[in-house]
Amino acid sequence: MHTMRLLGKFLGYLHFSPYRVTDALPSNVMYSQLATRKYHKPPLDVAELLIESVKNNKIILTVPWVIEFLSMMDPIALTIEHYIKALQILTDIYRWEHFRAIPTESILFVRLIIGWLFDVLEYPKKYEVLIKPESFEYHKNLESCGVDFLAVVDKQLIRSCCPYLIEFRVLIYNFLNGIKNRNREIRKITPLSTKIEKTNSASVIKKQLNIQLEDNFFSYHPPSVKKTTEFVADRMASKTIGKIRSEVTELKLNVVKNIMSNKQFSSMYASNALLQIDAVIDDNVLHVYNEFQNKLHDFIKAIHKNIENTLPLLLSDDTKPVVLDICTKVAYRLAADKTADWIDSNLLLDPIKSDIKNKLFHLKKYEVESK
């Protein structure tokens, strides 16, 4: 199996490497090359080989090396009808429902490598291939004979041919044993609630696992995806913090105006009754503070909607919906954590009372002196 896959990759390298270039080709050169290669007979009729493998129950022998061959394709080859047909057949095999008599390990192996191929292909229109109907008629009544029905694939072969699966083993191992991966940074997650809560070890491990999953997710995508997600999160957090700060300032001014308009406050100030003044401030501030705490959840909820509207505009057009959804959730978590951290550090009841009290005494002193 390994030898066939290596030979398939080498054949693909020999066939497609002359057409690979580092810089983007001009459009006229691309059209000229495409027109020429359309009539060039490929060294292997990959589509026909795949069809024959299905008919002869030899999918498990043919698909792996064909995958390696096609993984070496250049961008222009992806627009040639012959290779598009081969991709369509692979998609049909991936979605095929007549795999029930085939061993589970073989089914898993075939679908893993086909899925890997579509992930690595730089083909903007690959999603159009995925939604097309079956490209040819399969045998509906298969006889239980042929290599596909033999247990030729085991777990060791799957792990050796799909090394990226090791990431799942690492994550599961770390989760079950409560051991964090020391090679990766574990960032602090600030809870959304402004109340101090006791977190047990299970919740800490879960948060660390989420961070590791996010880092692992971004490792399979271009760096620009992570940078864009973090940029949107920072901007949304700053925007939300700015709104909260403005709202808090306005609430403070309203409290000051209400107390200043109270005639009892003037008499208290004249008699220097500080305890009574503190009681008045406490009553007014506590009521407003509790109402504003309920508004904070609305501010944080609005972050998600803003990210959903902004992030798709900054990511590339060919970003998968699943990738976009995960990036949105990560950006929301980062923005919400940053906002909650600012709230925990700045929206404290005692400093707000002290600020209002200083403002009241300053205004009252200015009022008395002006008279």
Side-chain angles (χ1 to χ4, degrees):
M1 182 70 71
H2 293 289
T3 303
M4 288 192 299
R5 295 176 71 241
L6 182 60
L7 290 175
K9 182 180 283 291
F10 182 65
L11 180 60
Y13 172 77
L14 293 178
H15 180 61
F16 296 111
S17 60
Y19 304 105
R20 284 190 171 274
V21 291
T22 55
D23 300 328
L25 293 174
S27 57
N28 58 337
V29 177
M30 291 180 60
Y31 292 138
S32 176
Q33 186 181 136
L34 179 60
T36 304
R37 294 176 66 181
K38 277 184 178 180
Y39 302 101
H40 181 265
K41 186 178 180 180
L44 291 174
D45 192 347
V46 181
E48 186 61 30
L49 288 173
L50 289 172
I51 295 174
E52 289 297 324
S53 70
V54 174
K55 293 179 179 179
N56 299 326
N57 297 329
K58 295 182 179 179
I59 295 176
I60 200 65
L61 293 178
T62 306
V63 170
W65 71 262
V66 169
I67 292 291
E68 296 297 328
F69 175 79
L70 295 177
S71 67
M72 304 303 294
M73 284 191 294
D74 60 285
I76 296 179
L78 290 167
T79 60
I80 298 176
E81 186 64 28
H82 172 76
Y83 296 111
I84 293 177
K85 182 180 179 182
L87 293 176
Q88 178 63 58
I89 295 173
L90 288 173
T91 306
D92 296 342
I93 294 174
Y94 185 92
R95 299 184 300 189
W96 201 21
E97 298 180 356
H98 302 279
F99 267 142
R100 297 174 183 175
I102 299 176
T104 304
E105 289 81 1
S106 299
I107 300 173
L108 176 63
F109 176 60
V110 170
R111 287 178 172 168
L112 280 174
I113 58 178
I114 294 176
W116 170 83
L117 176 66
F118 276 90
D119 282 338
V120 300
L121 286 181
E122 298 177 359
Y123 182 36
K125 296 184 179 180
K126 60 185 176 183
Y127 303 109
E128 297 180 7
V129 176
L130 297 175
I131 62 176
K132 287 183 179 179
E134 292 183 355
S135 56
F136 67 95
E137 289 292 331
Y138 295 105
H139 290 284
K140 302 302 180 183
N141 298 319
L142 292 176
E143 298 179 359
S144 298
C145 61
V147 181
D148 289 342
F149 297 94
L150 301 177
V152 296
V153 177
D154 55 10
K155 295 179 181 178
Q156 184 177 358
L157 179 63
I158 294 176
R159 286 196 293 265
S160 61
C161 294
C162 308
Y164 42 85
L165 295 179
I166 192 65
E167 292 291 335
F168 292 100
R169 293 185 62 194
V170 172
L171 291 175
I172 294 173
Y173 177 81
N174 290 341
F175 175 74
L176 294 178
N177 293 276
I179 301 175
K180 67 180 181 180
N181 189 348
R182 297 181 180 179
N183 295 328
R184 294 184 180 177
E185 179 184 1
I186 304 300
R187 293 170 292 180
K188 176 185 176 183
I189 300 179
T190 305
L192 294 181
S193 174
T194 56
K195 297 180 180 179
I196 299 176
E197 299 177 353
K198 294 183 179 180
T199 57
N200 53 30
S201 58
S203 63
V204 173
I205 293 173
K206 183 177 180 180
K207 292 174 183 178
Q208 292 177 353
L209 179 62
N210 288 334
I211 297 297
Q212 292 177 7
L213 288 172
E214 291 174 8
D215 292 340
N216 184 68
F217 165 77
F218 286 119
S219 67
Y220 286 98
H221 295 86
S224 60
V225 176
K226 183 177 181 180
K227 291 181 180 179
T228 303
T229 302
E230 292 177 345
F231 171 78
V232 172
D234 289 338
R235 296 309 304 161
M236 291 303 165
S238 300
K239 179 181 178 181
T240 304
I241 291 172
K243 289 183 178 179
I244 295 175
R245 187 185 287 111
S246 300
E247 189 82 11
V248 171
T249 302
E250 185 178 354
L251 289 175
K252 288 180 181 179
L253 293 176
N254 291 335
V255 171
V256 171
K257 290 179 181 178
N258 291 335
I259 296 177
M260 288 290 292
S261 61
N262 190 345
K263 295 181 180 180
Q264 293 182 354
F265 174 74
S266 299
S267 60
M268 293 176 188
Y269 180 82
S271 60
N272 199 22
L274 298 179
L275 294 178
Q276 295 179 358
I277 292 175
D278 289 338
V280 172
I281 294 175
D282 289 345
D283 292 338
N284 284 270
V285 172
L286 190 60
H287 175 70
V288 175
Y289 184 82
N290 291 333
E291 288 183 350
F292 188 72
Q293 286 293 321
N294 297 328
K295 289 185 179 181
L296 291 178
H297 296 284
D298 296 332
F299 280 109
I300 294 178
K301 287 180 180 179
I303 295 176
H304 191 274
K305 184 177 180 180
N306 293 332
I307 291 175
E308 284 183 333
N309 296 332
T310 305
L311 194 58
L313 302 177
L314 299 179
L315 292 175
S316 59
D317 295 335
D318 59 344
T319 303
K320 297 180 182 179
V322 177
V323 175
L324 180 60
D325 182 63
I326 295 176
C327 290
T328 301
K329 292 179 180 178
V330 173
Y332 171 71
R333 185 191 65 78
L334 294 173
D337 287 351
K338 187 174 182 180
T339 304
D341 186 60
W342 184 89
I343 291 172
D344 291 337
S345 302
N346 295 273
L347 294 188
L348 302 177
L349 186 58
D350 290 337
I352 292 176
K353 290 180 182 179
S354 178
D355 190 19
I356 292 175
K357 184 177 181 180
N358 292 335
K359 189 68 174 177
L360 284 170
F361 276 70
H362 176 75
L363 292 175
K364 201 63 182 177
K365 182 179 179 181
Y366 177 80
E367 181 182 343
V368 172
E369 291 177 352
S370 61
K371 292 181 179 180

